[in-house]
Amino acid sequence: MAGRRYLIAGNWKMNGHRSDGVALAADLAQRLAAAGTVPFDMLVCPPATLIAPVADVVKGSPLAVGGQDCHTAVKGAHTGDIAPEMLADLGCTAVIVGHSERRQDHDETDSVVKAKAAAALRAGLTAVICVGETEAERDGGRAEDVVAEQLTGSIPADATAENTVIAYEPVWAIGTGRTPTTADIAAMHAKIRSHLRGLVANSDAVRILYGGSVKPSNAVEIMALADVDGALVGGASLKADDFWAIAASCR
Ligand code: 13P
């Protein structure tokens, strides 16, 4: 933490139809309004189909809305893609880039992720840049090197603590119910923080989120770690009670 404000971000992935997505966002916005002053920012990243209705329903609320991916171009002949400027136009303030599911399913390399992050900054969005090792890489003792290489390759030159958030998501912890030990999370986040010193202006103020099977039952101990500044939550972000309980674990 150390002066950094927590960010609790929900990545809905490819889940939700209009009625349940809008209801979930409205529920969270209502809880935020009722809670008053809280020690965290809250962000939801719905699938592209739900960004407009979700942005509409949370208008005027501190609940922020983001995309899950963006293209590098402002516009043009890119069937199926979405420019970061289009996300901003709907009211988004952030976009996730380089999620491991994008890296896997769409062969996104570090240089693609860097270009997407740069495009996000161009559009005035906060780039939530994801990194994380596979199980084989961790078992091979290469987790820290892999993550350092992803950071170097994925962070654009104009990244600052104000426009960039890092999410550490070990691939093997995503959707599996397994998490690293708190000692391993603490060690990786400290390593990321020190690696950011050469890459991002005002790096000590960059928020580093942990993601991968975060749930109400493990959030308190993870959020208490010195270099953990929030969470990027998948499955548990689809239930208002669970997502709110994770946020409430920020002290
Ligand atoms: P789970 O919380 O479902 O493990 O997903 C994490 C994630 O990938 C968030 O981006």
Coordinates of all heavy atoms in Angstrom, one line a residue, residues 73-160:
A73 N -5.1 0.8 -33.3 CA -5.5 1.9 -34.2 C -6.6 2.7 -33.6 O -7.4 2.2 -32.8 CB -5.8 1.4 -35.6
V74 N -6.8 3.9 -34.1 CA -7.9 4.8 -33.7 C -9.2 4.4 -34.4 O -10.2 4.4 -33.8 CB -7.5 6.3 -34.1 CG1 -8.7 7.2 -33.8 CG2 -6.3 6.8 -33.4
K75 N -9.0 3.9 -35.6 CA -10.2 3.4 -36.4 C -9.7 2.7 -37.6 O -8.5 2.7 -37.9 CB -11.1 4.6 -36.8 CG -10.4 5.6 -37.7 CD -11.4 6.6 -38.2 CE -10.8 7.5 -39.2 NZ -11.7 8.5 -39.8
G76 N -10.6 2.1 -38.4 CA -10.2 1.5 -39.7 C -10.7 0.1 -39.9 O -11.6 -0.3 -39.2
A77 N -10.1 -0.5 -40.9 CA -10.6 -1.8 -41.4 C -10.0 -2.9 -40.5 O -9.0 -3.6 -40.8 CB -10.1 -2.0 -42.8
H78 N -10.6 -3.1 -39.3 CA -10.2 -4.1 -38.4 C -11.4 -4.8 -37.8 O -11.9 -4.5 -36.7 CB -9.3 -3.5 -37.2 CG -8.1 -2.8 -37.8 ND1 -7.0 -3.4 -38.3 CD2 -7.9 -1.4 -37.9 CE1 -6.1 -2.5 -38.7 NE2 -6.6 -1.3 -38.5
T79 N -12.0 -5.7 -38.6 CA -13.2 -6.4 -38.3 C -13.2 -7.0 -36.9 O -12.3 -7.8 -36.6 CB -13.6 -7.4 -39.4 OG1 -13.6 -6.8 -40.6 CG2 -14.9 -8.1 -39.1
G80 N -14.2 -6.7 -36.1 CA -14.3 -7.3 -34.8 C -13.5 -6.6 -33.7 O -13.7 -6.9 -32.5
D81 N -12.7 -5.7 -34.0 CA -11.9 -5.0 -33.0 C -12.5 -3.7 -32.5 O -13.4 -3.1 -33.2 CB -10.5 -4.7 -33.6 CG -9.6 -5.9 -33.5 OD1 -9.5 -6.5 -32.4 OD2 -8.9 -6.3 -34.5
I82 N -12.0 -3.2 -31.4 CA -12.5 -2.0 -30.8 C -11.3 -1.1 -30.5 O -10.3 -1.5 -29.8 CB -13.3 -2.3 -29.5 CG1 -14.4 -3.2 -29.9 CG2 -13.7 -1.1 -28.8 CD1 -15.2 -3.8 -28.7
A83 N -11.4 0.2 -31.0 CA -10.3 1.2 -30.7 C -10.5 1.7 -29.2 O -11.6 1.8 -28.7 CB -10.4 2.3 -31.6
P84 N -9.4 2.0 -28.6 CA -9.5 2.6 -27.2 C -10.3 3.8 -27.2 O -11.0 4.1 -26.2 CB -8.0 2.8 -26.8 CG -7.2 2.7 -28.0 CD -8.0 1.9 -29.0
E85 N -10.2 4.6 -28.3 CA -11.0 5.8 -28.3 C -12.5 5.5 -28.3 O -13.3 6.3 -27.8 CB -10.7 6.6 -29.6 CG -9.3 7.4 -29.6 CD -8.1 6.5 -29.8 OE1 -8.3 5.3 -30.1 OE2 -7.0 7.1 -29.7
M86 N -12.9 4.4 -28.8 CA -14.3 4.0 -28.8 C -14.7 3.6 -27.4 O -15.8 3.9 -26.9 CB -14.5 2.8 -29.7 CG -14.4 3.1 -31.2 SD -14.3 1.5 -32.1 CE -14.6 2.2 -33.7
L87 N -13.8 3.0 -26.6 CA -14.1 2.7 -25.2 C -14.2 4.0 -24.4 O -15.2 4.1 -23.6 CB -12.9 1.9 -24.6 CG -12.7 0.5 -25.2 CD1 -11.5 -0.2 -24.6 CD2 -13.9 -0.4 -25.0
A88 N -13.3 4.9 -24.7 CA -13.4 6.2 -24.0 C -14.7 6.9 -24.3 O -15.3 7.5 -23.4 CB -12.2 7.1 -24.4
D89 N -15.1 6.8 -25.6 CA -16.3 7.4 -26.0 C -17.6 6.9 -25.2 O -18.5 7.7 -25.0 CB -16.5 7.2 -27.5 CG -17.7 7.9 -28.1 OD1 -17.9 9.0 -27.8 OD2 -18.5 7.2 -28.9
L90 N -17.5 5.7 -24.8 CA -18.6 5.1 -24.0 C -18.6 5.4 -22.5 O -19.5 5.1 -21.8 CB -18.7 3.6 -24.2 CG -19.0 3.0 -25.6 CD1 -19.0 1.5 -25.5 CD2 -20.3 3.5 -26.0
G91 N -17.5 6.0 -22.1 CA -17.3 6.4 -20.7 C -16.3 5.5 -20.0 O -16.2 5.6 -18.8
C92 N -15.6 4.6 -20.7 CA -14.6 3.8 -20.0 C -13.4 4.7 -19.6 O -13.1 5.7 -20.3 CB -14.0 2.8 -21.0 SG -15.2 1.4 -21.3
T93 N -12.8 4.4 -18.5 CA -11.6 5.1 -18.1 C -10.4 4.2 -18.1 O -9.3 4.7 -17.7 CB -11.8 5.7 -16.7 OG1 -12.2 4.7 -15.8 CG2 -12.9 6.8 -16.7
A94 N -10.5 2.9 -18.4 CA -9.4 2.0 -18.3 C -9.6 0.9 -19.3 O -10.8 0.7 -19.8 CB -9.3 1.4 -16.9
V95 N -8.6 0.1 -19.6 CA -8.7 -1.1 -20.4 C -7.6 -2.0 -19.9 O -6.5 -1.7 -19.6 CB -8.6 -0.7 -21.9 CG1 -7.3 -0.1 -22.3 CG2 -8.8 -2.0 -22.7
I96 N -8.0 -3.3 -19.9 CA -7.0 -4.4 -19.6 C -6.3 -4.7 -20.9 O -7.0 -4.8 -21.9 CB -7.8 -5.6 -19.1 CG1 -8.6 -5.4 -17.8 CG2 -6.8 -6.8 -18.9 CD1 -9.5 -6.5 -17.4
V97 N -5.0 -4.8 -20.8 CA -4.3 -5.3 -22.0 C -3.3 -6.4 -21.6 O -2.8 -6.4 -20.4 CB -3.5 -4.2 -22.7 CG1 -4.4 -3.2 -23.3 CG2 -2.5 -3.5 -21.7
G98 N -3.1 -7.4 -22.5 CA -2.1 -8.4 -22.2 C -2.6 -9.5 -21.2 O -1.7 -10.2 -20.6
H99 N -3.9 -9.6 -21.0 CA -4.3 -10.7 -20.2 C -3.8 -12.0 -20.7 O -3.7 -12.2 -22.0 CB -5.9 -10.7 -20.1 CG -6.4 -11.6 -19.0 ND1 -6.4 -13.0 -19.2 CD2 -6.8 -11.3 -17.8 CE1 -6.9 -13.5 -18.1 NE2 -7.1 -12.5 -17.2
S100 N -3.5 -12.9 -19.9 CA -2.9 -14.2 -20.4 C -3.9 -14.9 -21.3 O -3.4 -15.7 -22.2 CB -2.5 -15.1 -19.2 OG -3.7 -15.4 -18.4
E101 N -5.2 -14.7 -21.1 CA -6.1 -15.4 -22.1 C -6.0 -14.8 -23.5 O -6.2 -15.5 -24.5 CB -7.5 -15.3 -21.5 CG -7.7 -16.3 -20.3 CD -8.7 -15.9 -19.3 OE1 -9.5 -15.0 -19.5 OE2 -8.6 -16.4 -18.1
R102 N -5.7 -13.5 -23.5 CA -5.5 -12.8 -24.8 C -4.1 -13.3 -25.4 O -4.0 -13.6 -26.6 CB -5.4 -11.3 -24.7 CG -6.7 -10.6 -24.2 CD -7.8 -10.6 -25.2 NE -7.4 -10.2 -26.6 CZ -8.2 -10.3 -27.6 NH1 -9.5 -10.6 -27.5 NH2 -7.8 -10.0 -28.8
R103 N -3.1 -13.4 -24.5 CA -1.8 -13.8 -25.0 C -1.9 -15.2 -25.5 O -1.3 -15.6 -26.5 CB -0.8 -13.8 -23.8 CG -0.4 -12.3 -23.3 CD 0.5 -12.3 -22.1 NE 0.8 -11.0 -21.6 CZ 1.9 -10.3 -21.8 NH1 2.8 -10.7 -22.7 NH2 2.1 -9.1 -21.3
Q104 N -2.7 -16.1 -24.9 CA -2.9 -17.5 -25.3 C -3.8 -17.6 -26.5 O -3.4 -18.2 -27.5 CB -3.4 -18.3 -24.2 CG -2.3 -18.8 -23.2 CD -2.9 -19.5 -22.0 OE1 -4.1 -19.6 -21.7 NE2 -2.0 -19.9 -21.1
D105 N -5.0 -17.1 -26.4 CA -6.0 -17.3 -27.4 C -5.8 -16.5 -28.7 O -6.2 -16.9 -29.7 CB -7.4 -16.9 -26.9 CG -7.9 -17.7 -25.7 OD1 -7.2 -18.7 -25.3 OD2 -9.0 -17.4 -25.1
H106 N -5.1 -15.4 -28.6 CA -4.9 -14.5 -29.7 C -3.4 -14.3 -30.0 O -3.1 -13.3 -30.7 CB -5.6 -13.2 -29.5 CG -7.1 -13.4 -29.3 ND1 -8.0 -13.5 -30.4 CD2 -7.9 -13.7 -28.2 CE1 -9.2 -13.7 -29.9 NE2 -9.2 -13.8 -28.6
D107 N -2.6 -15.1 -29.5 CA -1.1 -15.0 -29.7 C -0.6 -13.7 -29.5 O 0.3 -13.2 -30.3 CB -0.8 -15.5 -31.2 CG -1.2 -16.9 -31.4 OD1 -1.0 -17.7 -30.5 OD2 -1.6 -17.3 -32.5
E108 N -1.0 -13.0 -28.5 CA -0.5 -11.6 -28.3 C 0.9 -11.7 -27.6 O 1.1 -12.3 -26.6 CB -1.5 -10.8 -27.4 CG -2.8 -10.5 -28.1 CD -3.6 -9.5 -27.3 OE1 -3.2 -9.0 -26.3 OE2 -4.8 -9.3 -27.8
T109 N 1.8 -11.0 -28.3 CA 3.2 -11.0 -27.8 C 3.4 -9.7 -26.9 O 2.5 -8.8 -26.9 CB 4.2 -10.9 -28.9 OG1 3.9 -9.7 -29.7 CG2 4.1 -12.1 -29.9
D110 N 4.5 -9.7 -26.3 CA 4.8 -8.5 -25.5 C 4.7 -7.2 -26.3 O 4.2 -6.2 -25.9 CB 6.2 -8.6 -24.8 CG 6.2 -9.6 -23.7 OD1 5.2 -9.9 -23.1 OD2 7.3 -10.0 -23.3
S111 N 5.2 -7.3 -27.6 CA 5.3 -6.0 -28.3 C 3.9 -5.6 -28.8 O 3.5 -4.5 -28.8 CB 6.2 -6.2 -29.6 OG 5.7 -7.1 -30.4
V112 N 3.0 -6.6 -29.0 CA 1.6 -6.3 -29.3 C 0.9 -5.6 -28.0 O 0.2 -4.6 -28.1 CB 0.8 -7.6 -29.7 CG1 -0.7 -7.3 -29.7 CG2 1.2 -8.1 -31.0
V113 N 1.2 -6.2 -26.9 CA 0.7 -5.7 -25.6 C 1.2 -4.3 -25.4 O 0.4 -3.4 -25.0 CB 1.0 -6.6 -24.4 CG1 0.5 -6.0 -23.1 CG2 0.4 -8.0 -24.7
K114 N 2.4 -4.0 -25.7 CA 3.0 -2.7 -25.5 C 2.3 -1.7 -26.4 O 1.9 -0.6 -26.0 CB 4.5 -2.7 -25.8 CG 5.1 -1.3 -25.6 CD 6.6 -1.3 -26.1 CE 7.6 -1.8 -25.1 NZ 9.0 -1.4 -25.4
A115 N 2.0 -2.1 -27.7 CA 1.4 -1.2 -28.6 C -0.1 -0.9 -28.2 O -0.6 0.2 -28.3 CB 1.4 -1.8 -30.0
K116 N -0.7 -1.9 -27.6 CA -2.1 -1.7 -27.1 C -2.1 -0.8 -25.9 O -3.0 0.0 -25.8 CB -2.7 -3.1 -26.8 CG -3.0 -3.9 -28.0 CD -3.8 -5.2 -27.7 CE -4.3 -5.8 -29.0 NZ -5.3 -6.8 -28.7
A117 N -1.1 -1.0 -25.0 CA -1.1 -0.1 -23.9 C -0.8 1.3 -24.3 O -1.4 2.3 -23.8 CB 0.0 -0.6 -22.9
A118 N 0.1 1.5 -25.3 CA 0.4 2.8 -25.8 C -0.9 3.5 -26.4 O -1.2 4.6 -26.2 CB 1.5 2.8 -26.8
A119 N -1.6 2.6 -27.1 CA -2.9 3.1 -27.7 C -3.9 3.5 -26.6 O -4.6 4.5 -26.7 CB -3.5 2.1 -28.6
A120 N -3.9 2.8 -25.5 CA -4.8 3.1 -24.4 C -4.5 4.4 -23.8 O -5.3 5.3 -23.6 CB -4.7 2.0 -23.4
L121 N -3.2 4.7 -23.6 CA -2.7 6.0 -23.1 C -3.0 7.1 -24.0 O -3.5 8.2 -23.6 CB -1.2 5.9 -22.8 CG -0.7 4.8 -21.8 CD1 0.7 5.0 -21.4 CD2 -1.6 4.6 -20.6
R122 N -2.9 6.8 -25.3 CA -3.2 7.8 -26.3 C -4.7 8.3 -26.2 O -5.0 9.5 -26.4 CB -3.0 7.2 -27.7 CG -3.3 8.1 -28.9 CD -3.3 7.4 -30.2 NE -4.4 6.4 -30.3 CZ -4.3 5.2 -30.8 NH1 -3.2 4.8 -31.4 NH2 -5.4 4.4 -30.8
A123 N -5.5 7.3 -25.9 CA -7.0 7.6 -25.8 C -7.3 8.1 -24.4 O -8.5 8.4 -24.2 CB -7.8 6.3 -26.1
G124 N -6.4 8.3 -23.5 CA -6.6 8.8 -22.2 C -7.1 7.8 -21.2 O -7.7 8.1 -20.2
L125 N -7.0 6.5 -21.6 CA -7.4 5.5 -20.7 C -6.2 5.0 -19.8 O -5.1 5.1 -20.2 CB -7.9 4.2 -21.5 CG -9.0 4.4 -22.4 CD1 -9.3 3.2 -23.2 CD2 -10.3 4.9 -21.7
T126 N -6.5 4.5 -18.6 CA -5.5 3.8 -17.8 C -5.3 2.4 -18.4 O -6.3 1.7 -18.6 CB -6.0 3.7 -16.4 OG1 -6.1 5.0 -15.8 CG2 -5.1 2.8 -15.5
A127 N -4.1 2.0 -18.6 CA -3.8 0.7 -19.1 C -3.5 -0.2 -17.9 O -2.6 0.1 -17.1 CB -2.5 0.8 -20.0
V128 N -4.3 -1.3 -17.9 CA -4.0 -2.3 -16.8 C -3.3 -3.4 -17.5 O -3.9 -4.2 -18.3 CB -5.4 -2.8 -16.2 CG1 -5.1 -3.9 -15.2 CG2 -6.2 -1.7 -15.7
I129 N -2.0 -3.5 -17.4 CA -1.1 -4.4 -18.1 C -0.9 -5.6 -17.3 O -0.4 -5.6 -16.2 CB 0.2 -3.7 -18.4 CG1 0.0 -2.4 -19.2 CG2 1.2 -4.7 -19.2 CD1 1.3 -1.6 -19.4
C130 N -1.3 -6.8 -17.9 CA -1.2 -8.1 -17.2 C 0.1 -8.8 -17.5 O 0.5 -8.9 -18.7 CB -2.4 -9.0 -17.5 SG -4.0 -8.2 -17.2
V131 N 0.7 -9.4 -16.5 CA 1.9 -10.3 -16.6 C 1.7 -11.5 -15.7 O 0.8 -11.4 -14.8 CB 3.2 -9.5 -16.2 CG1 3.5 -8.4 -17.2 CG2 3.1 -9.0 -14.8
G132 N 2.4 -12.5 -16.0 CA 2.3 -13.7 -15.1 C 2.9 -14.9 -15.8 O 2.8 -15.1 -17.0
E133 N 3.5 -15.8 -15.0 CA 4.2 -17.0 -15.5 C 3.2 -18.2 -15.6 O 2.2 -18.2 -14.8 CB 5.4 -17.3 -14.6 CG 5.1 -18.1 -13.3 CD 4.4 -17.3 -12.2 OE1 4.3 -16.0 -12.4 OE2 4.0 -17.8 -11.1
T134 N 3.6 -19.1 -16.4 CA 2.9 -20.4 -16.4 C 3.4 -21.3 -15.3 O 4.4 -21.0 -14.7 CB 3.1 -21.1 -17.8 OG1 4.5 -21.4 -17.9 CG2 2.7 -20.3 -19.0
E135 N 2.7 -22.4 -15.1 CA 3.1 -23.3 -14.1 C 4.5 -23.9 -14.4 O 5.3 -24.1 -13.5 CB 2.1 -24.5 -14.0 CG 2.4 -25.4 -12.8 CD 1.1 -26.1 -12.3 OE1 0.3 -26.5 -13.1 OE2 1.0 -26.3 -11.1
A136 N 4.7 -24.2 -15.7 CA 6.0 -24.8 -16.0 C 7.1 -23.8 -15.8 O 8.2 -24.2 -15.3 CB 6.0 -25.2 -17.5
E137 N 6.8 -22.6 -16.1 CA 7.9 -21.5 -15.8 C 8.2 -21.4 -14.3 O 9.3 -21.3 -13.9 CB 7.4 -20.2 -16.4 CG 7.5 -20.2 -18.0 CD 6.7 -19.1 -18.7 OE1 5.9 -18.5 -18.0 OE2 6.9 -19.0 -19.9
R138 N 7.1 -21.5 -13.5 CA 7.3 -21.4 -12.0 C 8.1 -22.6 -11.6 O 9.1 -22.5 -10.8 CB 6.0 -21.2 -11.3 CG 6.2 -21.2 -9.8 CD 5.1 -20.6 -9.0 NE 5.2 -19.1 -9.1 CZ 5.8 -18.3 -8.3 NH1 6.5 -18.8 -7.3 NH2 5.7 -17.0 -8.4
D139 N 7.7 -23.8 -12.0 CA 8.3 -25.0 -11.6 C 9.8 -25.1 -12.0 O 10.6 -25.7 -11.4 CB 7.6 -26.3 -12.2 CG 6.2 -26.5 -11.5 OD1 6.0 -25.8 -10.5 OD2 5.5 -27.3 -12.1
G140 N 10.1 -24.4 -13.1 CA 11.4 -24.3 -13.6 C 12.3 -23.2 -13.0 O 13.4 -23.0 -13.4
G141 N 11.7 -22.6 -12.0 CA 12.4 -21.5 -11.3 C 12.6 -20.2 -12.1 O 13.4 -19.4 -11.8
R142 N 11.8 -20.1 -13.1 CA 11.9 -18.9 -14.0 C 10.9 -17.8 -13.9 O 10.8 -16.9 -14.7 CB 12.0 -19.4 -15.5 CG 13.2 -20.2 -15.8 CD 13.3 -20.6 -17.2 NE 12.3 -21.7 -17.6 CZ 11.4 -21.5 -18.5 NH1 11.3 -20.4 -19.2 NH2 10.6 -22.5 -18.7
A143 N 10.0 -18.0 -12.8 CA 8.9 -17.1 -12.7 C 9.3 -15.6 -12.7 O 8.7 -14.8 -13.5 CB 8.0 -17.4 -11.5
E144 N 10.3 -15.2 -11.9 CA 10.6 -13.8 -11.8 C 11.3 -13.3 -13.1 O 11.0 -12.2 -13.5 CB 11.6 -13.6 -10.6 CG 10.8 -13.8 -9.3 CD 11.7 -13.4 -8.0 OE1 12.9 -13.2 -8.2 OE2 11.1 -13.4 -7.0
D145 N 12.1 -14.1 -13.7 CA 12.7 -13.7 -15.0 C 11.6 -13.5 -16.1 O 11.7 -12.6 -16.9 CB 13.7 -14.7 -15.5 CG 15.0 -14.7 -14.6 OD1 15.1 -13.8 -13.8 OD2 15.8 -15.7 -14.7
V146 N 10.7 -14.4 -16.1 CA 9.6 -14.3 -17.2 C 8.8 -13.1 -17.0 O 8.5 -12.3 -17.9 CB 8.7 -15.6 -17.1 CG1 7.4 -15.4 -17.9 CG2 9.4 -16.8 -17.6
V147 N 8.4 -12.8 -15.7 CA 7.6 -11.6 -15.4 C 8.4 -10.3 -15.7 O 7.9 -9.4 -16.3 CB 7.1 -11.6 -14.0 CG1 6.5 -10.3 -13.6 CG2 6.0 -12.7 -13.8
A148 N 9.7 -10.3 -15.4 CA 10.5 -9.1 -15.7 C 10.6 -8.9 -17.2 O 10.5 -7.8 -17.6 CB 11.9 -9.3 -15.1
E149 N 10.8 -10.0 -17.9 CA 10.8 -9.9 -19.4 C 9.5 -9.3 -19.9 O 9.5 -8.5 -20.8 CB 11.1 -11.2 -20.0 CG 11.5 -11.2 -21.4 CD 11.8 -12.6 -21.9 OE1 12.5 -13.4 -21.2 OE2 11.4 -12.9 -23.0
Q150 N 8.4 -9.8 -19.4 CA 7.1 -9.3 -19.9 C 6.9 -7.8 -19.6 O 6.4 -7.1 -20.4 CB 5.9 -10.1 -19.2 CG 5.8 -11.6 -19.7 CD 4.8 -12.4 -18.9 OE1 4.5 -12.1 -17.8 NE2 4.3 -13.4 -19.6
L151 N 7.4 -7.4 -18.4 CA 7.2 -6.0 -18.0 C 8.1 -5.2 -19.0 O 7.6 -4.2 -19.5 CB 7.7 -5.8 -16.6 CG 6.8 -6.4 -15.5 CD1 7.6 -6.3 -14.1 CD2 5.5 -5.6 -15.3
T152 N 9.3 -5.5 -19.2 CA 10.2 -4.8 -20.1 C 9.6 -4.7 -21.5 O 9.6 -3.6 -22.1 CB 11.6 -5.4 -20.1 OG1 12.1 -5.5 -18.8 CG2 12.5 -4.6 -21.0
G153 N 9.0 -5.8 -21.9 CA 8.5 -5.8 -23.3 C 7.1 -5.2 -23.5 O 6.7 -4.9 -24.6
S154 N 6.3 -5.1 -22.4 CA 4.9 -4.7 -22.5 C 4.6 -3.3 -22.0 O 3.5 -2.8 -22.3 CB 4.0 -5.7 -21.7 OG 4.3 -7.0 -22.0
I155 N 5.5 -2.6 -21.3 CA 5.2 -1.3 -20.8 C 5.7 -0.2 -21.8 O 6.9 -0.2 -22.1 CB 5.9 -1.1 -19.4 CG1 5.3 -2.1 -18.4 CG2 5.7 0.3 -18.9 CD1 5.9 -2.0 -17.0
P156 N 4.8 0.6 -22.2 CA 5.2 1.7 -23.2 C 6.0 2.8 -22.6 O 6.0 2.9 -21.3 CB 3.9 2.2 -23.7 CG 2.9 1.9 -22.6 CD 3.4 0.7 -21.9
A157 N 6.7 3.5 -23.4 CA 7.7 4.5 -22.9 C 7.0 5.6 -22.1 O 7.6 6.1 -21.2 CB 8.4 5.1 -24.1
D158 N 5.8 5.9 -22.4 CA 5.1 7.1 -21.7 C 4.3 6.6 -20.5 O 3.4 7.4 -20.1 CB 4.3 7.9 -22.7 CG 3.4 7.1 -23.6 OD1 3.5 5.9 -23.6 OD2 2.6 7.7 -24.3
A159 N 4.5 5.4 -20.0 CA 3.8 4.9 -18.9 C 4.2 5.7 -17.6 O 5.4 6.0 -17.4 CB 4.1 3.5 -18.7
T160 N 3.2 6.1 -16.8 CA 3.5 6.7 -15.5 C 2.6 6.0 -14.5 O 1.7 5.3 -14.8 CB 3.1 8.2 -15.5 OG1 1.7 8.3 -15.6 CG2 3.7 9.0 -16.7

